[in-house]
Amino acid sequence: MKGWMDMINNEKYNELITYLKSLGKVVLAFSGGVDSTFLLRVAKEALGDNVKAVTIMSPYIPKWEIAEAKELVKELGVDHEIIEAPIIDSIKYNPEDRCYLCKTAVFSMIIAIAKEQGYDCVIDGTNFDDISDYRPGLRALKELEVKSPMLECKLTKAEIREFSKELGLNTWDKPPYACLLTRIPYGDELKVEAFERIEKAERFMMSIGFRAVRVRCHGDLARVEVNRNDRSKLFDEEILDTIAANIKECGFKYVTLDLQGYRVGSFNETIIKK
């Protein structure tokens, strides 16, 4: 894409605008990530004031993500509501279908708000690439009849990033994030203190230049994943000592590096191999 005119003449972009207009008044489940920020920006263009953003606040959502979401919605001039979601009993021991169970509960809350406030439907930022990954949460969205405009219009992550860049959204190159449930092994009990340790550890890693990072929690052991292209930065004893000391200060007793580096849903490897 060479600029704004190229974008507004883009078939997929116009298809997304048309699709959104057909939905009427919508509530968007907004996380502040690349996908939901782009969708909110386009929904604002297509629907004006007939779009509302709703963000979930929970022990397993990093506080910095909530803060960023607030700022992004404010910049886009969209009505915004934040709702609290507890750790529900059905996911207390982090089952393999926790994403399905969690999304069912959370989106049921968002749907209730939409109905109460006179909106026609709930939409989310699922994109076309998401269907190729292990995402049991997609089943929940389908059952609840949540609309996924970018999936319907077959927009890929790369296209969304490019469109976001052209629109001047500072999220265009934001690394992928996921809720902190993905840092805990399946079957482990979910504890608020573990989420707090993980968030502090990941914030530290980000502060020293590792944008795409996961700190997987194995009890007292932190398994750190950094972007594969960033692994060479770790070949320094001073950096390793600094990382170990700071992550231990977050509450872990042991710190290890995953030699494979960051990959989406590394705990899902234990499911796929069954």
Side-chain angles (χ1 to χ4, degrees):
M1 267 168 264
K2 297 179 181 179
W4 173 251
M5 289 305 296
D6 294 286
M7 189 171 70
I8 63 176
N9 290 323
N10 183 278
E11 183 177 347
K12 281 191 177 181
Y13 189 85
N14 288 324
E15 183 182 354
L16 180 60
I17 291 283
T18 301
Y19 182 88
L20 286 165
K21 286 181 177 179
S22 73
L23 298 178
K25 295 182 65 177
V26 306
V27 169
L28 167 62
F30 184 73
S31 68
V34 178
D35 299 327
S36 63
T37 300
F38 169 69
L39 185 57
L40 186 61
R41 166 62 179 77
V42 182
K44 175 67 174 179
E45 177 184 342
L47 302 171
D49 293 335
N50 287 327
V51 58
K52 177 189 181 80
V54 172
T55 297
I56 297 297
M57 182 167 64
S58 180
Y60 48 81
I61 304 295
K63 298 177 183 64
W64 64 264
E65 281 201 88
I66 302 297
E68 281 192 5
K70 288 180 180 179
E71 287 302 312
L72 288 165
V73 175
K74 185 177 179 180
E75 290 172 10
L76 292 172
V78 175
D79 185 26
H80 190 206
E81 185 170 342
I82 296 175
I83 57 177
E84 292 191 34
I87 299 173
I88 57 176
D89 289 340
S90 60
I91 68 168
K92 184 178 179 181
Y93 290 96
N94 207 26
E96 292 179 0
D97 62 346
R98 56 114 197 279
C99 190
Y100 167 77
L101 297 168
C102 179
K103 281 195 181 295
T104 297
V106 165
F107 274 87
S108 293
M109 295 170 67
I110 297 175
I111 289 170
I113 288 175
K115 288 180 178 179
E116 181 183 325
Q117 299 180 9
Y119 287 85
D120 299 310
C121 68
V122 173
I123 63 176
D124 89 309
T126 302
N127 67 59
F128 194 61
D129 292 333
D130 290 333
I131 59 175
S132 63
D133 189 22
Y134 175 74
R135 292 180 183 265
L138 295 180
R139 178 161 61 96
L141 299 181
K142 184 176 181 180
E143 290 175 359
L144 293 171
E145 299 183 341
V146 173
K147 306 292 185 183
S148 300
M150 297 188 297
L151 175 59
E152 294 295 330
C153 297
K154 298 183 178 179
L155 277 163
T156 66
K157 192 75 167 190
E159 290 172 324
I160 292 166
R161 287 190 184 279
E162 187 62 32
F163 282 139
S164 297
K165 186 176 182 180
E166 295 295 340
L167 288 168
L169 298 173
N170 60 17
T171 51
W172 75 270
D173 65 342
K174 187 175 183 178
Y177 290 110
C179 76
L180 299 180
L181 293 173
T182 62
R183 317 301 200 266
I184 309 290
Y186 292 114
D188 282 16
E189 183 177 0
L190 302 177
K191 298 179 179 179
V192 173
E193 53 267 32
F195 296 134
E196 292 174 346
R197 285 189 295 167
I198 294 165
E199 182 175 356
K200 288 178 183 177
E202 290 190 348
R203 286 299 282 169
F204 166 73
M205 292 298 295
M206 292 176 195
S207 75
I208 61 172
F210 294 94
R211 296 186 68 202
V213 63
R214 296 289 186 272
V215 175
R216 312 289 185 184
C217 178
H218 299 263
D220 290 330
L221 183 146
R223 173 167 59 90
V224 182
E225 300 177 9
V226 301
N227 192 295
R228 293 177 64 85
N229 295 330
D230 286 338
R231 288 179 298 176
S232 61
K233 297 179 183 178
L234 297 169
F235 301 158
D236 180 293
E237 289 188 6
E238 185 176 343
I239 289 176
L240 290 174
D241 288 342
T242 299
I243 290 173
N246 279 273
I247 291 183
K248 284 185 176 181
E249 285 184 8
C250 296
F252 290 98
K253 292 182 180 179
Y254 310 99
V255 182
T256 186
L257 299 174
D258 190 310
L259 299 183
Q260 287 182 263
Y262 164 66
R263 63 266 188 214
V264 176
S266 66
F267 280 127
N268 291 340
E269 295 166 5
T270 62
I271 298 174
I272 295 169
K273 291 179 179 178
K274 286 184 177 180

